[in-house]
Amino acid sequence: MISLRGVRKTYASPAGPVEAVAGVSFDIKEGEFVSILGPSGCGKSTLLMMLAGLEHASAGTIEVAGEPLTGPRRDAGLVFQDATLLPWLSARDNVLFPIKMMRLEREKYVARAEELLRSVGLGDFMDKRPRELSGGMRQRVALCRSLIHEPSIMLMDEPFSALDAITRDEMALVLLDLWARHRKTGVFITHSIREAVLLSDRVLVMTRRPAVVVADVAIPFARPRDESIQDTPEFNAIVAQLRGMIEHSIKAAA
Amino acid sequence: MSDMALPATPNQPRLSLAGHWVSQILLPVAFAAVVLGLWEGLVRWYQVPEVILPPPSVIGARIVSAWPFLLQHSLPTAIEATVGFLIAAAFGIVLSVVLVYSRWAYVALYPNVVFFQLIPKIALAPLFIVWLGIGSSSRLAFSVFIAFFPVVISTLTGLNSTPPDMLRLCKALTAKSWQVFLSVRFPYALPHIFSGLKVAVTFAIIGVIVGEFITAQAGLGYLVLFASSQAETPLILAAIAMLCVVGLVLYGIVAGAERLILKRYGH
Ligand SMILES: Nc1ncnc2c1ncn2[C@@H]1O[C@H](COP(=O)(O)OP(=O)(O)OP(=O)(O)O)[C@@H](O)[C@H]1O
Ligand SMILES: [Mg+2]
């Protein structure tokens, strides 16, 4: 379990301190998939970096399994908006990159890397370099890379935002499938309400900067899920409810 | 910065693929031939004195007649430029790495590097003679001095061009900084480093030539100066032609190394 209590983050900037996150408290249970929705620039990435141990909270505490988080956690798998693959490595070697950086034994992970790539439909592309892959394929490689070292949590910062609409829908299903297989704890930042509802057990709604959590909505669909839930009235009702909350929070802050 | 070895950019007019090699080589050669022909014709037509501008055929004849002499003077120039370039490259890359990894060194040194980059360094050449004498060490030192700055500036740009998210990922994986340097930052910097090296190799030659102008002992720069004191214009131009060959060969070696390495590490 991950617990955030009164977490704040203030950046120093030439124009004075910028308060990005203003007192956020919530818990994420083991194996839970949580999405975070919020307006642009509200502090979502900052929150994710704090969860990864890459930024220190200015105030408040973040605890992982009862222990305060003090530095980078190796058991997190990170996915960014851009795939950030190394251009000179093959898909396979990009997936194995964390193993190299963590100074683990490569040979023990090659089979797992190939298995991951096959599971996202890249079995025939393992030797291809990033420039030979489409944007969606590159992001699939990045998803595999985030799972190679068997992390206990996946932290994803708008991983599909740079993709076109069709690829994006496809990627949500790839992630749904990948998550069903691996069952990591997941934190997923997105601007897409439908994506959040499809993938998550819970959706958190944040306000404008400085961010606080204004809503914590449980998504009741059973797992394993598939794309068909998107056509149900329940799905659309939750989407509409969340959209209302977001509009309200933006108006309230303005 | 020079990007002469980059492949044709999309906004350049495309030549058909079939005629690609033919046109890429034939066209510039044909153009040069036309210019040389015009030069030959006009100079002869207007009977321009040889001291002012000899026709290409006379320069060619002079190259043949003075060949051993030209070769003898090309060697020290080529060797000094090569050694100067290599020292500048090694020194420039090492200094960049120090600047990138030491905040303190960066703050102290970087503004000074930029300052030196901006001043006309050629003007400092005589000082090097005063300090190091008229031997090859002063020419070498001066060549290193002017070739070194483009290497530093471009290597620094390159080392800082790694996407920030990539560095975050490395940090999250608790990678050691030497690992990040070897596996990520340095390979990311290679295209920039090579564009700096291509500038540096031409600067290294300029450095040696300027040194030879001043110290006047041997080398193509000395030969140019000597020939001009004798009003031997064909020999001046013959020496300059040799200089072009030396420059092209050295540049070609660096550009060739770039091609090989960017095949592996290009983006
Ligand atoms: N390193 C930093 N130094 C100073 N200010 C920063 C820094 N990082 C982020 N900020 C500021 O903090 C605020 C929140 O940024 P953050 O990137 O967390 O927002 P976000 O919700 O992820 O935005 P987006 O939806 O655009 O990705 C912004 O106003 C940003 O300018
Ligand atoms: Mg963000």
Side-chain angles (χ1 to χ4, degrees), chain A residues 47-164:
Chain A
L47 188 60
L48 203 75
M49 288 305 113
M50 290 193 287
L51 286 173
L54 293 173
E55 292 280 356
H56 291 289
S58 313
T61 56
I62 301 177
E63 288 186 354
V64 178
E67 297 286 317
L69 185 62
T70 52
R73 46 184 304 192
R74 287 166 71 126
D75 64 336
L78 295 180
V79 188
F80 305 98
Q81 184 167 336
D82 285 311
T84 54
L85 305 177
L86 292 175
W88 55 88
L89 295 183
S90 65
R92 182 194 290 104
D93 287 340
N94 265 297
V95 173
L96 287 164
F97 177 73
I99 301 307
K100 190 173 177 190
M101 291 297 106
M102 294 169 81
R103 303 168 296 280
L104 301 174
E105 205 181 314
R106 176 190 159 98
E107 292 316 310
K108 287 186 184 157
Y109 291 88
V110 174
R112 180 176 163 84
E114 295 182 352
E115 175 54 35
L116 279 165
L117 284 166
R118 269 193 291 273
S119 76
V120 297
L122 292 180
D124 294 332
F125 296 88
M126 295 196 229
D127 295 308
K128 295 273 188 275
R129 294 221 209 158
R131 65 158 172 266
E132 301 170 281
L133 304 174
S134 70
M137 287 171 161
R138 286 201 283 267
Q139 206 53 279
R140 289 176 203 217
V141 175
L143 285 172
C144 296
R145 180 180 64 188
S146 77
L147 287 166
I148 186 68
H149 55 302
E150 306 195 45
S152 56
I153 185 167
M154 282 176 87
L155 300 172
M156 294 164 277
D157 192 352
E158 302 189 38
F160 309 145
S161 290
L163 303 173
D164 63 87

Side-chain angles (χ1 to χ4, degrees), chain A residues 18-33:
Chain A
V18 175
E19 191 169 34
V21 177
V24 169
S25 305
F26 59 88
D27 291 339
I28 301 169
K29 285 199 281 292
E30 199 79 38
E32 201 175 25
F33 194 108

